[in-house]
Amino acid sequence: MLFASTGHTGTASARTTTRRAATRRRLLSASVAALLTTSLLGLASQASAAAPRLAPAAAGHDPVIMIPGMTGSPANMNTMKSNLQTNGWPANRLFTWTDSSSMTQDLAKAARELSAKVDQVRGQTGADKVVLATWSASTLAARYYIKNLDGADKVSQYIGFAGPQHGTLNNGCQWYVSCQQFASPNTPFLKALNSPSEVPFDDRIDYLTIRSTADINATPVDTAQLAGADENYLMSGPTAPNHLVIISNATALAKMRSFISAHEND
């Protein structure tokens, strides 16, 4: 105290007064800021309470997973994908996929891989169920998934284009394991898959098959239908598509779209 006051009493006092004034200004500013914050929070709370709650967005179409056949690639399904999108399906609910390996190996393995894909799509989209749009050999992998794995509660609709559901007479491809599995109606794979029902869990899943009289790959023509399906759609006449183009045929795609829409609320 003695040192501080010697010769500098006026300067020290002025600085003290200045600091006190500054402190009072800071406290006043803090008080005003707190008051404004409290007021704004109160107004925001009132506005939140007064604002109506928005209803959740409609779920829309179930996601569609489009799967090509033996030796095919996801690009084979691009026309189908574009057709759905043009007709109102959101792009983020349309998926193409294939394995194992491109449906040439054990179709039971392909079904297990499909299970993982379905779970990935459900997680990505938040959907409870998916639509499986399958072609040729993948029609069998998808049915195996529904029947023997966990597909019954995760699939809303099954659509099979030109599937060798009961084998095929055009079976000269048996260097592939999958072709061996559908080489005739009596292969162990098909006998187990088609018994006791060709449309497993049809109380939960809607089934559509699409086949054509011009198909020389899945033969005879009725091999592609399923007993008990909601609809087995036959295309015939001079404009009937062959096995390779049935998945991009405008009439076939229109049938698929109308079927999906008709059964979305089942």
Side-chain angles (χ1 to χ4, degrees):
M1 289 296 293
L2 292 174
F3 179 81
S5 61
T6 303
H8 299 283
T9 303
T11 302
S13 176
R15 290 176 178 172
T16 300
T17 301
T18 301
R19 284 197 298 270
R20 286 174 180 171
T23 301
R24 283 196 296 270
R25 287 195 296 271
R26 286 197 298 270
L27 290 174
L28 179 60
S29 298
S31 298
V32 171
L35 180 60
L36 286 172
T37 301
T38 303
S39 299
L40 289 172
L41 287 173
L43 289 172
S45 177
Q46 291 172 15
S48 177
R53 291 185 179 274
L54 297 177
H61 297 294
D62 283 343
V64 182
I65 302 176
M66 292 156 274
I67 314 170
M70 190 175 67
T71 73
S73 75
N76 294 136
M77 315 306 284
N78 282 348
T79 299
M80 180 185 293
K81 184 178 181 180
S82 297
N83 184 274
L84 288 171
Q85 188 173 349
T86 299
N87 285 278
W89 272 255
N92 62 5
R93 296 181 85 79
L94 299 174
F95 300 85
T96 58
W97 173 85
T98 191
D99 239 337
S100 184
S101 163
S102 297
M103 297 294 157
T104 64
Q105 302 305 309
D106 181 11
L107 293 172
K109 180 181 179 183
R112 293 191 293 273
E113 295 163 352
L114 174 57
S115 176
K117 179 62 179 180
V118 169
D119 286 344
Q120 180 259 312
V121 168
R122 290 172 66 240
Q124 180 176 332
T125 62
D128 290 331
K129 296 187 176 185
V130 303
V131 174
L132 298 180
T134 62
W135 174 41
S136 196
S138 70
T139 63
L140 305 177
R143 274 207 299 139
Y144 188 100
Y145 163 62
I146 291 169
K147 178 179 180 178
N148 297 308
L149 302 176
D150 54 353
D153 294 321
K154 300 176 182 179
V155 175
S156 60
Q157 300 185 40
Y158 167 99
I159 300 168
F161 286 81
Q165 310 281 10
H166 305 94
T168 180
L169 298 176
N170 190 351
N171 57 15
C173 54
Q174 292 185 54
W175 55 86
Y176 294 128
V177 173
S178 60
C179 188
Q180 296 170 22
Q181 292 175 314
F182 59 75
S184 80
N186 298 314
T187 66
F189 181 87
L190 285 182
K191 287 176 70 175
L193 184 62
N194 290 333
S195 178
S197 172
E198 296 180 9
V199 286
F201 301 101
D202 61 337
D203 57 328
R204 299 180 232 172
I205 300 170
D206 298 304
Y207 286 82
L208 167 68
T209 70
I210 300 176
R211 68 196 195 281
S212 171
T213 56
D215 189 345
I216 62 172
N217 291 65
T219 59
V221 65
D222 286 345
T223 190
Q225 67 180 341
L226 292 172
D230 295 85
E231 187 172 358
N232 288 299
Y233 184 68
L234 175 63
M235 306 180 71
S236 61
T239 60
N242 64 33
H243 188 81
L244 299 179
V245 302
I246 193 170
I247 53 169
S248 58
N249 178 270
T251 301
L253 294 178
K255 166 54 66 176
M256 178 184 72
R257 295 195 314 272
S258 66
F259 183 87
I260 292 174
S261 297
H263 292 273
E264 283 182 324
N265 296 316
D266 288 1

mmCIF file of all heavy atoms in Angstrom, residues 228-253:
data_model
loop_
_atom_site.group_PDB
_atom_site.id
_atom_site.type_symbol
_atom_site.label_atom_id
_atom_site.label_comp_id
_atom_site.label_asym_id
_atom_site.label_seq_id
_atom_site.Cartn_x
_atom_site.Cartn_y
_atom_site.Cartn_z
ATOM 1 N N GLY A 228 -50.563 -71.031 -58.333
ATOM 2 C CA GLY A 228 -50.934 -70.265 -57.149
ATOM 3 C C GLY A 228 -50.534 -68.812 -57.191
ATOM 4 O O GLY A 228 -50.834 -68.055 -56.259
ATOM 5 N N ALA A 229 -49.849 -68.380 -58.263
ATOM 6 C CA ALA A 229 -49.470 -66.969 -58.378
ATOM 7 C C ALA A 229 -50.709 -66.097 -58.495
ATOM 8 O O ALA A 229 -51.757 -66.534 -58.990
ATOM 9 C CB ALA A 229 -48.566 -66.758 -59.586
ATOM 10 N N ASP A 230 -50.599 -64.860 -58.060
ATOM 11 C CA ASP A 230 -51.703 -63.922 -58.223
ATOM 12 C C ASP A 230 -52.029 -63.724 -59.698
ATOM 13 O O ASP A 230 -53.199 -63.577 -60.065
ATOM 14 C CB ASP A 230 -51.356 -62.575 -57.587
ATOM 15 C CG ASP A 230 -51.205 -62.686 -56.085
ATOM 16 O OD1 ASP A 230 -50.102 -63.039 -55.627
ATOM 17 O OD2 ASP A 230 -52.179 -62.436 -55.368
ATOM 18 N N GLU A 231 -51.002 -63.724 -60.528
ATOM 19 C CA GLU A 231 -51.222 -63.607 -61.966
ATOM 20 C C GLU A 231 -50.059 -64.229 -62.722
ATOM 21 O O GLU A 231 -48.893 -63.971 -62.416
ATOM 22 C CB GLU A 231 -51.388 -62.141 -62.374
ATOM 23 C CG GLU A 231 -51.781 -61.957 -63.824
ATOM 24 C CD GLU A 231 -52.140 -60.518 -64.179
ATOM 25 O OE1 GLU A 231 -52.118 -59.660 -63.278
ATOM 26 O OE2 GLU A 231 -52.426 -60.264 -65.364
ATOM 27 N N ASN A 232 -50.398 -65.057 -63.711
ATOM 28 C CA ASN A 232 -49.429 -65.584 -64.666
ATOM 29 C C ASN A 232 -49.766 -64.967 -66.023
ATOM 30 O O ASN A 232 -50.762 -65.324 -66.650
ATOM 31 C CB ASN A 232 -49.519 -67.113 -64.739
ATOM 32 C CG ASN A 232 -48.965 -67.781 -63.495
ATOM 33 O OD1 ASN A 232 -47.783 -67.629 -63.164
ATOM 34 N ND2 ASN A 232 -49.806 -68.522 -62.786
ATOM 35 N N TYR A 233 -48.964 -64.017 -66.473
ATOM 36 C CA TYR A 233 -49.271 -63.220 -67.653
ATOM 37 C C TYR A 233 -48.554 -63.789 -68.862
ATOM 38 O O TYR A 233 -47.320 -63.887 -68.884
ATOM 39 C CB TYR A 233 -48.850 -61.772 -67.409
ATOM 40 C CG TYR A 233 -49.187 -60.819 -68.518
ATOM 41 C CD1 TYR A 233 -50.511 -60.481 -68.806
ATOM 42 C CD2 TYR A 233 -48.174 -60.226 -69.270
ATOM 43 C CE1 TYR A 233 -50.817 -59.587 -69.817
ATOM 44 C CE2 TYR A 233 -48.468 -59.318 -70.282
ATOM 45 C CZ TYR A 233 -49.790 -59.013 -70.550
ATOM 46 O OH TYR A 233 -50.090 -58.116 -71.556
ATOM 47 N N LEU A 234 -49.323 -64.171 -69.886
ATOM 48 C CA LEU A 234 -48.766 -64.761 -71.100
ATOM 49 C C LEU A 234 -48.813 -63.751 -72.238
ATOM 50 O O LEU A 234 -49.859 -63.180 -72.547
ATOM 51 C CB LEU A 234 -49.556 -66.006 -71.494
ATOM 52 C CG LEU A 234 -49.152 -66.663 -72.826
ATOM 53 C CD1 LEU A 234 -47.713 -67.174 -72.757
ATOM 54 C CD2 LEU A 234 -50.116 -67.797 -73.170
ATOM 55 N N MET A 235 -47.680 -63.550 -72.885
ATOM 56 C CA MET A 235 -47.588 -62.691 -74.062
ATOM 57 C C MET A 235 -47.486 -63.570 -75.308
ATOM 58 O O MET A 235 -46.674 -64.496 -75.356
ATOM 59 C CB MET A 235 -46.370 -61.776 -73.950
ATOM 60 C CG MET A 235 -46.338 -60.960 -72.665
ATOM 61 S SD MET A 235 -44.890 -59.872 -72.539
ATOM 62 C CE MET A 235 -45.309 -58.652 -73.779
ATOM 63 N N SER A 236 -48.329 -63.287 -76.291
ATOM 64 C CA SER A 236 -48.351 -64.105 -77.501
ATOM 65 C C SER A 236 -48.594 -63.224 -78.713
ATOM 66 O O SER A 236 -48.819 -62.014 -78.588
ATOM 67 C CB SER A 236 -49.431 -65.185 -77.389
ATOM 68 O OG SER A 236 -50.709 -64.582 -77.236
ATOM 69 N N GLY A 237 -48.561 -63.842 -79.892
ATOM 70 C CA GLY A 237 -48.789 -63.088 -81.112
ATOM 71 C C GLY A 237 -47.498 -62.596 -81.735
ATOM 72 O O GLY A 237 -46.400 -62.819 -81.209
ATOM 73 N N PRO A 238 -47.626 -61.884 -82.844
ATOM 74 C CA PRO A 238 -46.429 -61.471 -83.605
ATOM 75 C C PRO A 238 -45.519 -60.497 -82.866
ATOM 76 O O PRO A 238 -44.344 -60.363 -83.227
ATOM 77 C CB PRO A 238 -47.023 -60.824 -84.874
ATOM 78 C CG PRO A 238 -48.421 -60.453 -84.506
ATOM 79 C CD PRO A 238 -48.876 -61.490 -83.521
ATOM 80 N N THR A 239 -46.040 -59.812 -81.857
ATOM 81 C CA THR A 239 -45.199 -58.844 -81.132
ATOM 82 C C THR A 239 -44.665 -59.404 -79.812
ATOM 83 O O THR A 239 -44.047 -58.676 -79.036
ATOM 84 C CB THR A 239 -45.989 -57.562 -80.839
ATOM 85 O OG1 THR A 239 -47.132 -57.883 -80.033
ATOM 86 C CG2 THR A 239 -46.451 -56.900 -82.129
ATOM 87 N N ALA A 240 -44.897 -60.689 -79.568
ATOM 88 C CA ALA A 240 -44.422 -61.281 -78.315
ATOM 89 C C ALA A 240 -42.895 -61.233 -78.276
ATOM 90 O O ALA A 240 -42.227 -61.564 -79.263
ATOM 91 C CB ALA A 240 -44.909 -62.721 -78.203
ATOM 92 N N PRO A 241 -42.316 -60.841 -77.149
ATOM 93 C CA PRO A 241 -40.854 -60.690 -77.071
ATOM 94 C C PRO A 241 -40.148 -62.014 -76.824
ATOM 95 O O PRO A 241 -40.723 -62.953 -76.255
ATOM 96 C CB PRO A 241 -40.686 -59.761 -75.871
ATOM 97 C CG PRO A 241 -41.846 -60.094 -74.983
ATOM 98 C CD PRO A 241 -42.993 -60.398 -75.907
ATOM 99 N N ASN A 242 -38.893 -62.093 -77.235
ATOM 100 C CA ASN A 242 -38.106 -63.284 -76.927
ATOM 101 C C ASN A 242 -37.519 -63.180 -75.525
ATOM 102 O O ASN A 242 -37.745 -62.201 -74.805
ATOM 103 C CB ASN A 242 -37.023 -63.512 -77.992
ATOM 104 C CG ASN A 242 -35.995 -62.397 -78.037
ATOM 105 O OD1 ASN A 242 -35.651 -61.782 -77.019
ATOM 106 N ND2 ASN A 242 -35.474 -62.116 -79.234
ATOM 107 N N HIS A 243 -36.743 -64.156 -75.157
ATOM 108 C CA HIS A 243 -36.211 -64.248 -73.798
ATOM 109 C C HIS A 243 -35.322 -63.059 -73.447
ATOM 110 O O HIS A 243 -35.319 -62.591 -72.307
ATOM 111 C CB HIS A 243 -35.409 -65.547 -73.665
ATOM 112 C CG HIS A 243 -34.963 -65.859 -72.272
ATOM 113 N ND1 HIS A 243 -35.775 -66.433 -71.326
ATOM 114 C CD2 HIS A 243 -33.758 -65.676 -71.652
ATOM 115 C CE1 HIS A 243 -35.117 -66.594 -70.194
ATOM 116 N NE2 HIS A 243 -33.886 -66.139 -70.368
ATOM 117 N N LEU A 244 -34.571 -62.568 -74.438
ATOM 118 C CA LEU A 244 -33.581 -61.535 -74.165
ATOM 119 C C LEU A 244 -34.188 -60.151 -74.006
ATOM 120 O O LEU A 244 -33.637 -59.313 -73.276
ATOM 121 C CB LEU A 244 -32.526 -61.513 -75.271
ATOM 122 C CG LEU A 244 -31.712 -62.804 -75.438
ATOM 123 C CD1 LEU A 244 -30.728 -62.664 -76.581
ATOM 124 C CD2 LEU A 244 -31.005 -63.180 -74.148
ATOM 125 N N VAL A 245 -35.303 -59.879 -74.662
ATOM 126 C CA VAL A 245 -35.859 -58.521 -74.642
ATOM 127 C C VAL A 245 -37.130 -58.405 -73.815
ATOM 128 O O VAL A 245 -37.698 -57.314 -73.708
ATOM 129 C CB VAL A 245 -36.121 -57.995 -76.076
ATOM 130 C CG1 VAL A 245 -34.826 -58.000 -76.883
ATOM 131 C CG2 VAL A 245 -37.201 -58.797 -76.780
ATOM 132 N N ILE A 246 -37.583 -59.509 -73.225
ATOM 133 C CA ILE A 246 -38.832 -59.446 -72.463
ATOM 134 C C ILE A 246 -38.737 -58.449 -71.302
ATOM 135 O O ILE A 246 -39.722 -57.806 -70.932
ATOM 136 C CB ILE A 246 -39.242 -60.847 -71.955
ATOM 137 C CG1 ILE A 246 -40.685 -60.826 -71.440
ATOM 138 C CG2 ILE A 246 -38.262 -61.378 -70.901
ATOM 139 C CD1 ILE A 246 -41.247 -62.206 -71.156
ATOM 140 N N ILE A 247 -37.542 -58.254 -70.751
ATOM 141 C CA ILE A 247 -37.389 -57.337 -69.609
ATOM 142 C C ILE A 247 -37.355 -55.871 -70.020
ATOM 143 O O ILE A 247 -37.366 -54.987 -69.152
ATOM 144 C CB ILE A 247 -36.113 -57.665 -68.795
ATOM 145 C CG1 ILE A 247 -34.898 -57.699 -69.719
ATOM 146 C CG2 ILE A 247 -36.291 -58.942 -68.012
ATOM 147 C CD1 ILE A 247 -33.578 -57.746 -68.990
ATOM 148 N N SER A 248 -37.312 -55.611 -71.325
ATOM 149 C CA SER A 248 -37.364 -54.227 -71.801
ATOM 150 C C SER A 248 -38.581 -53.972 -72.686
ATOM 151 O O SER A 248 -38.737 -52.873 -73.223
ATOM 152 C CB SER A 248 -36.081 -53.878 -72.566
ATOM 153 O OG SER A 248 -35.880 -54.752 -73.659
ATOM 154 N N ASN A 249 -39.439 -54.977 -72.823
ATOM 155 C CA ASN A 249 -40.631 -54.843 -73.645
ATOM 156 C C ASN A 249 -41.639 -53.919 -72.975
ATOM 157 O O ASN A 249 -41.947 -54.082 -71.785
ATOM 158 C CB ASN A 249 -41.234 -56.230 -73.881
ATOM 159 C CG ASN A 249 -42.509 -56.183 -74.681
ATOM 160 O OD1 ASN A 249 -43.591 -56.067 -74.115
ATOM 161 N ND2 ASN A 249 -42.389 -56.264 -75.990
ATOM 162 N N ALA A 250 -42.172 -52.946 -73.727
ATOM 163 C CA ALA A 250 -43.059 -51.946 -73.151
ATOM 164 C C ALA A 250 -44.313 -52.560 -72.546
ATOM 165 O O ALA A 250 -44.771 -52.135 -71.477
ATOM 166 C CB ALA A 250 -43.435 -50.910 -74.215
ATOM 167 N N THR A 251 -44.872 -53.568 -73.210
ATOM 168 C CA THR A 251 -46.095 -54.202 -72.696
ATOM 169 C C THR A 251 -45.809 -54.962 -71.405
ATOM 170 O O THR A 251 -46.583 -54.895 -70.442
ATOM 171 C CB THR A 251 -46.688 -55.142 -73.754
ATOM 172 O OG1 THR A 251 -46.978 -54.409 -74.951
ATOM 173 C CG2 THR A 251 -47.970 -55.799 -73.245
ATOM 174 N N ALA A 252 -44.691 -55.671 -71.384
ATOM 175 C CA ALA A 252 -44.325 -56.412 -70.178
ATOM 176 C C ALA A 252 -44.065 -55.473 -69.010
ATOM 177 O O ALA A 252 -44.472 -55.744 -67.868
ATOM 178 C CB ALA A 252 -43.090 -57.274 -70.453
ATOM 179 N N LEU A 253 -43.399 -54.359 -69.291
ATOM 180 C CA LEU A 253 -43.105 -53.404 -68.218
ATOM 181 C C LEU A 253 -44.377 -52.714 -67.731
ATOM 182 O O LEU A 253 -44.512 -52.432 -66.530
ATOM 183 C CB LEU A 253 -42.085 -52.374 -68.708
ATOM 184 C CG LEU A 253 -40.689 -52.940 -69.017
ATOM 185 C CD1 LEU A 253 -39.776 -51.841 -69.552
ATOM 186 C CD2 LEU A 253 -40.073 -53.591 -67.787
#
